[in-house]
Amino acid sequence: MGILDYANPTRVMRFSRAVKPWVGGLGAIVLAAGLYEAFVTAPADYQQGETIRIMYLHVPMAWLAMFAYALMALSAIGTLVFKHPMADVSAKAMAPLGAVFTAICLITGSLWGKPMWNTWWVWDARLTSVLILFLVYLGIIALWQAIEEPIKAGKITAIITLIGAINLPIIKFSVDWWYTLHQPASVFRVDGPTIYPAMLYPLLICAVGFALLFFFAHLVAMENEMKRRRVRAMQMRAARRTTPLPTTRPAEGAA
Amino acid sequence: MSEQAGPFRALVARDLRLSLRVGGGALTGVLFFLAVITTVPFGVGPDLNLLARIGPAIMWIAALLATLIGLERLFQSDRDDGALDLLRLTDAPLSSFIIAKVVAHWLGASLPLVLATPVLSLLLALEPLAIAALTATLLVGTPALSFLGAVGAALAVTLRRGALLMAVIILPFSIPVLIFGVAATRAAVTEPDPFWPPFALLGAVSLIYAVVGTVGAAAAIRINDG
Amino acid sequence: MWRGTHLTLNALAVIRGERPLIGGLSVDLSGGDAVALVGPNGSGKTSLLRVLAGLAEPAAGTISLQVDGVSADTPRAAMVHLGGHLDGLKGALTVAENLAFWVRYFGAGPGALSAPDALETLGIGHALNLPAAVLSQGQKRRVALARLLVAPRPVWLLDEPTAALDVASAARFTELVEAHRSQGGIVVAATHAPLALQTLKTLDLATYPPRGPDSEPGEAEGLATALSGDEYWLEGRSA
């Protein structure tokens, strides 16, 4: 079995319990440092003023939303190709996290856009792509909820996740294309090509902090999912226990 | 060669025949198309200039909905009467079965829609060049929607009452088809914009979705028995 | 008609969804054999037939089907007929159209009866040009059985084949099964009703439980232990 053998539920659980506090603790420290830098040390933008600080939330969320989808797609390959039970536990734990990152990204984008564009929403190419990613996340979560059997749900969702992984770049490309076609008069580019180091470092520290927090949450969610599955396995076992019928009445009915 | 084509053609012919029989509903898609196009002016007003401007978008959205809604039972009817299992008892790969089903559905439901487009476009005051471009984009783009819908239809086999969920999952993936289809139509009548780049992209998306849809639908059908 | 038909199941395990059904099933069948699958509800009769047909994968073990003159690469699905609870008929098509489709789809092959002859054999020749929708349940079942005659295949996998049939039709069905066996075919039928077949083997699925009896959870094992224990297992996975 090789490396897959290391990923049995018992080992993952043990690993998760050992690693979780460290990941969480480190994440909290890095994030605190990052947010301090972002909200206290980092300079305000000469044009946008203090609102630039939303960037330290908004951009890492956008990165993590995509990162989570990439990991989910990897898990989907694990489910479909290696048929590994831990792969769909991982994928299932990932979906709500990705959706939350995407939602925060959209909300912060909207808050950031309000003073810039004087409206809560613009059909900007980036925001629109993130909105579609959000829709895909929600669809995948709904799919997880719709199928009762966890294994079947895992496989079906893995297929949709992979189709999404193939399609999201196509969607991104088409939305960018669509946006340039309908280019409005002049939209202020909120995140231009250059960024000052004084802003970049806090941004990267925040991103690392949020990523650690994400791994922590993912471990917690995986543990919960494993427990949920264990309960279900127990119930399936309990249902299989056969109670012998009274011998006087033969069993009847269709198979 | 004919050995291979035999089952494929037999299935396409059977599905086409079924769609034309009582309860097949081959033309319901066209009726839905007509109904949507008739409804929109009541929402946006009878301004012909406005309708001509948004006409291609309306037609494309109507086609998108007609295709996705019409495809819901692509595999379910065969599953309900037990034919789905029997259809899998061949040496042909499952993907050829999927393609045959989609081709039959496209011929029976989407092609009539494309053919009706020139007539229905008149209701939205489209000019001849726009009508030609719209018909061409629908002809090239609807296969993409059919193959995408096939994935949803295969999910519906597992989900039973999953029609709405299926639309939620499939609609975001159909955005590129909509973008390039409408853009190409608009470009045909708007002077500086070239028609061919979006049209070629639409064709490319159709090809990609044909592959993705076939593989995805086959996998989803197989999982139903996992 | 068929020579050297061999259907071998080796240490077969069947899981449906999350439910392990059958374990350690090894059987060797050759041309002329008929097997009645018996067992209580939920013992996996239908699931086993679907696995044998190649529609679902076995959780463990192997199945091999060999027929002389048929390439070893031919998938099992192309060498078997499956007769399930559902008849697979399209009500909007006539009986003749239904059968003609299956002949084109499956290929007629040697020894095939024409559709009218097959229907005549099953006593519903009159239905040839009627829409399948107007037939009774028993008549539909007989049309479904006619499919086995218009596109012959060496292995018949039948799920409650006589369920909707009257006594006379069931007797005719028995004759057809015997004819199929005499031509070197194999029949595996899940059934509650006794089949009046010669030298019928009986396979009781209750004797092939998915696991040993000691794997049953003890009474004390409940949800509380499920949550606190250190050993996690996920049902329904093949190793």
Side-chain angles (χ1 to χ4, degrees):
Chain A
M1 282 288 277
I3 191 157
L4 293 182
D5 214 23
Y6 287 98
N8 80 36
T10 314
R11 288 216 180 92
V12 170
M13 203 71 166
R14 204 175 298 150
F15 171 80
S16 170
R17 282 181 181 153
V19 166
K20 206 173 52 184
W22 295 97
V23 176
L26 194 63
I29 294 167
V30 173
L31 193 59
L35 289 177
Y36 177 80
E37 290 263 326
F39 286 92
V40 181
T41 339
D45 190 75
Y46 76 98
Q47 235 176 337
Q48 302 181 42
E50 298 294 334
T51 51
I52 190 73
R53 300 193 193 280
I54 297 178
M55 175 186 77
Y56 301 109
L57 257 170
H58 177 78
V59 173
M61 287 299 143
W63 287 345
L64 280 175
M66 287 184 279
F67 181 60
Y69 199 94
L71 288 184
M72 209 163 73
L74 278 180
S75 298
I77 292 172
T79 297
L80 292 178
V81 178
F82 302 106
K83 298 190 177 6
H84 199 280
M86 292 319 298
D88 39 287
V89 168
S90 161
K92 189 175 181 183
M94 201 86 74
L97 293 174
V100 167
F101 292 139
T102 323
I104 297 176
C105 180
L106 287 173
I107 293 166
T108 52
S110 177
L111 289 174
W112 195 4
K114 177 65 177 162
M116 292 299 109
W117 300 318
N118 202 24
T119 167
W120 293 110
W121 182 263
V122 290
W123 289 91
D124 162 78
R126 287 172 195 236
L127 276 179
T128 307
S129 295
V130 174
L131 179 64
I132 295 168
L133 180 62
F134 185 55
L135 277 182
V136 172
Y137 267 124
L138 292 186
I140 286 171
I141 294 170
L143 200 53
W144 275 113
Q145 302 299 326
I147 308 169
E148 204 184 343
E149 278 179 41
I151 289 148
K152 194 183 265 185
K155 288 183 187 166
I156 291 278
T157 316
I159 292 173
I160 295 299
T161 306
L162 286 181
I163 290 178
I166 296 168
N167 279 358
L168 283 171
I170 300 176
I171 294 173
K172 174 87 178 101
F173 170 76
S174 68
V175 168
D176 286 348
W177 194 89
W178 163 84
Y179 185 69
T180 52
L181 191 72
H182 298 262
Q183 188 88 55
S186 81
V187 167
F188 190 81
R189 300 291 297 181
V190 284
D191 28 15
T194 53
I195 183 165
Y196 294 112
M199 290 179 179
L200 181 63
Y201 293 126
L203 179 63
L204 291 178
I205 295 169
C206 280
V208 171
F210 280 121
L212 287 168
L213 209 64
F214 159 60
F215 286 125
F216 174 76
H218 185 231
L219 288 174
V220 173
M222 272 179 69
E223 283 185 18
N224 286 342
E225 178 59 20
M226 280 187 276
K227 285 173 184 166
R228 223 174 280 134
R229 291 198 177 197
R230 183 151 202 249
V231 169
R232 193 172 162 87
M234 297 289 301
Q235 291 169 336
M236 297 301 297
R237 275 194 171 201
R240 268 211 310 285
R241 226 173 304 173
T242 47
T243 314
L245 287 169
T247 45
T248 46
R249 260 192 271 156
E252 275 178 11
Chain B
M1 186 61 206
S2 63
E3 275 294 301
Q4 284 299 314
F8 188 89
R9 261 189 250 155
L11 185 54
V12 172
R14 186 203 70 159
D15 272 19
L16 270 179
R17 185 176 288 180
L18 277 172
S19 71
L20 295 172
R21 289 280 161 91
V22 177
L27 296 178
T28 322
V30 180
L31 282 180
F32 178 85
F33 200 47
L34 175 63
V36 172
I37 291 163
T38 314
T39 315
V40 169
F42 294 103
V44 301
D47 177 3
L48 283 183
N49 287 329
L50 174 66
L51 287 176
R53 201 163 70 81
I54 63 172
I58 295 169
M59 299 284 276
W60 256 101
I61 291 172
L64 173 70
L65 295 178
T67 308
L68 291 189
I69 294 171
L71 272 166
E72 188 215 338
R73 288 190 55 78
L74 183 65
F75 302 115
Q76 244 175 334
S77 54
D78 278 330
R79 177 221 169 92
D80 290 348
D81 60 23
L84 185 57
D85 286 342
L86 305 178
L87 288 168
R88 290 177 56 194
L89 297 179
T90 67
D91 48 7
L94 195 50
S95 51
S96 76
F97 159 74
I98 306 276
I99 294 171
K101 293 288 291 181
V102 173
V103 166
H105 187 273
W106 187 83
L107 289 174
S110 296
L111 191 57
L113 217 107
V114 175
L115 296 178
T117 299
V119 180
L120 300 185
S121 301
L122 298 175
L123 292 174
L124 298 175
L126 295 193
E127 52 183 283
L129 192 57
I131 293 176
L134 179 62
T135 312
T137 53
L138 281 174
L139 186 69
V140 171
T142 44
L145 301 178
S146 296
F147 278 103
L148 211 48
V151 178
L155 289 183
V157 170
T158 307
L159 293 172
R160 306 291 176 97
R161 289 177 295 279
L164 209 56
L165 177 57
M166 177 191 134
V168 167
I169 290 168
I170 296 303
L171 270 178
F173 296 150
S174 60
I175 288 171
V177 184
L178 199 61
I179 287 176
F180 295 130
V182 175
T185 311
R186 190 163 291 164
V189 285
T190 317
E191 207 30 75
D193 297 335
F195 169 75
W196 290 106
F199 191 72
L201 288 170
L202 181 68
V205 169
S206 251
L207 288 177
I208 294 170
Y209 281 12
V211 176
V212 171
T214 304
V215 174
I221 291 276
R222 207 175 280 125
I223 277 163
N224 200 44
D225 288 295
Chain C
M1 183 154 48
W2 290 286
R3 288 176 194 288
T5 315
H6 275 287
L7 178 61
T8 312
L9 321 184
N10 186 21
L12 200 66
V14 175
I15 291 175
R16 180 172 167 275
E18 303 162 84
R19 219 166 264 118
L21 296 169
I22 300 168
L25 175 59
S26 297
V27 181
D28 201 355
L29 301 173
S30 48
D33 280 344
V35 178
L37 293 180
V38 299
N41 287 342
S43 59
K45 298 191 286 288
T46 301
S47 298
L48 177 59
L49 289 176
R50 294 179 65 81
V51 168
L52 291 181
L55 294 178
E57 289 295 312
T62 56
I63 305 169
S64 88
L65 173 57
Q66 290 165 334
V67 181
D68 283 2
V70 178
S71 156
D73 299 333
T74 310
R76 205 161 59 248
M79 303 201 284
V80 304
H81 266 305
L82 184 66
H85 296 286
L86 300 164
D87 296 318
L89 297 179
K90 293 294 174 192
L93 301 182
T94 67
V95 169
E97 286 171 330
N98 267 297
L99 287 179
F101 165 69
W102 288 115
V103 169
R104 277 185 71 192
Y105 194 78
F106 286 148
L113 293 184
S114 71
D117 287 351
L119 292 172
E120 212 59 65
T121 309
L122 284 148
I124 41 162
H126 65 279
L128 185 65
N129 290 312
L130 296 178
V134 304
L135 301 186
S136 74
Q137 201 55 46
Q139 288 172 321
K140 281 182 187 163
R141 176 52 56 91
R142 281 185 274 166
V143 175
L145 290 172
R147 194 182 65 239
L148 311 189
L149 306 178
V150 296
R153 289 179 167 190
V155 176
W156 290 2
L157 306 168
L158 305 172
D159 201 351
E160 302 290 349
T162 56
L165 299 181
D166 55 33
V167 177
S169 301
R172 172 55 53 90
F173 164 74
T174 312
E175 289 169 31
L176 292 175
V177 169
E178 292 295 2
H180 179 65
R181 293 171 70 188
S182 68
Q183 288 168 338
I186 294 176
V187 177
V188 179
T191 179
H192 280 101
L195 292 175
L197 296 174
Q198 295 159 11
T199 61
L200 179 73
K201 291 181 183 172
T202 301
L203 197 60
D204 187 354
L205 293 184
T207 55
Y208 298 94
R211 285 176 198 179
D214 50 44
S215 75
E216 293 299 321
E219 286 297 326
E221 215 172 356
L223 291 185
T225 43
L227 287 166
S228 64
D230 199 38
E231 184 204 324
Y232 288 81
W233 71 94
L234 296 109
E235 299 267 336
R237 287 281 176 176
S238 50

